[in-house]
Amino acid sequence: MIRNNTRCYCEDGFEVKEDGRSCKDQDECSVYGTCSQTCINTHGSYACGCVEGYIMQPNNRSCKAKNEPTDRPPMLLIASSETIEVFYLNGSKMATLNSVNRNEIHTLDFIYKEEMICWVESRDTSNQLKCVQITKTEKLTDEWTINILQSFHNVEQMAIDWLTRNLYFVDHVSDRIFVCNFNGSVCVTLLDLDLHNPKAIAVDPIAG
């Protein structure tokens, strides 16, 4: 910045204040792309971090999925109206789960630590939340239903907080977002004002 033909500069990590003479901390985390995942601003600098399941790369900005010899290879989950398919990233299929009685599958999410897939499935009178375990032999087993106390008929989208295991749901007819604990015994409406025809939801567990 130039003031009375005098140009003021700041050290790295700082920027010139509005008075054109003094310096203030620069929030690098407010710039998109500074870190690939989490970012913590510090005085004159910043620090990047990675969420669970990822490791920091040598550039101290990018994160890469862990792939220890004992870890399961990365997977891709694809849900159609009647099936859930699990693929390896090389394109080979690991497993397929077919919906019972041709019930329609609306949405799914994955709990990384417990290697569990959960999805919302439509029934004649209501929707159901179901989960299945991925075994060490790479099979889908132990399917079970979680009974949600709240009305579930109009739920077609959900997201799982993998830190707390809380389940977040979108009701596009009642125009609300509600959250339940994992066994479905306690549910609380989070948003039901100024929400119009919501279609999807995502959860950022780190930022809360």
Side-chain angles (χ1 to χ4, degrees):
M1 180 176 290
I2 299 177
R3 183 181 179 87
N4 297 329
N5 296 322
T6 300
R7 186 184 297 270
C8 297
Y9 297 93
C10 297
E11 297 180 1
D12 289 343
F14 296 87
E15 58 187 2
V16 179
K17 284 186 176 181
E18 290 74 13
D19 60 11
R21 300 177 59 185
S22 53
C23 296
K24 64 179 180 180
D25 176 59
Q26 180 183 11
D27 184 4
E28 294 88 352
C29 295
S30 64
V31 179
Y32 178 78
T34 298
C35 301
S36 66
Q37 292 190 352
T38 64
C39 183
I40 299 176
N41 186 55
T42 60
H43 187 66
S45 186
Y46 65 96
C48 296
C50 302
V51 299
E52 183 179 359
Y54 292 79
I55 55 176
M56 182 63 67
Q57 296 303 288
N59 63 6
N60 291 323
R61 296 178 58 185
S62 304
C63 299
K64 183 179 180 181
K66 291 181 179 179
N67 191 16
E68 303 293 340
T70 56
D71 285 350
R72 186 189 312 282
M75 299 176 298
L76 179 65
L77 305 176
I78 300 177
S80 64
S81 60
E82 296 179 0
T83 63
I84 295 175
E85 295 181 300
V86 185
F87 291 89
Y88 295 116
L89 297 189
N90 63 7
S92 61
K93 185 181 294 187
M94 190 191 89
T96 299
L97 179 69
N98 293 306
S99 174
V100 179
N101 299 325
R102 294 188 172 273
N103 294 326
E104 184 176 0
I105 297 170
H106 293 295
T107 181
L108 65 78
D109 207 345
F110 182 71
I111 303 179
Y112 170 80
K113 183 179 292 186
E114 301 177 45
E115 297 196 330
M116 185 186 304
I117 304 172
C118 296
W119 68 94
V120 174
E121 183 176 294
S122 65
R123 300 291 297 272
D124 294 334
T125 57
S126 181
N127 292 350
Q128 282 189 332
L129 176 64
K130 293 187 175 183
C131 294
V132 70
Q133 198 79 40
I134 302 178
T135 67
K136 293 182 179 180
T137 58
E138 302 178 349
K139 296 183 182 298
L140 304 180
T141 185
D142 297 333
E143 179 180 322
W144 72 97
T145 300
I146 298 176
N147 295 314
I148 303 296
L149 288 182
Q150 293 253 353
S151 174
F152 213 59
H153 183 65
N154 299 315
V155 170
E156 294 185 354
Q157 294 294 330
M158 75 166 184
I160 300 176
D161 182 342
W162 42 263
L163 289 179
T164 64
R165 299 173 84 227
N166 287 335
L167 308 163
Y168 292 80
F169 302 102
V170 173
D171 186 329
H172 70 284
V173 174
S174 301
D175 290 336
R176 69 189 181 104
I177 294 174
F178 64 97
V179 59
C180 302
N181 61 353
F182 191 72
N183 61 21
S185 60
V186 178
C187 297
V188 177
T189 296
L190 296 180
L191 291 172
D192 59 357
L193 298 175
D194 297 324
L195 196 64
H196 305 290
N197 198 24
K199 291 296 186 183
I201 186 171
V203 174
D204 186 341
I206 299 298

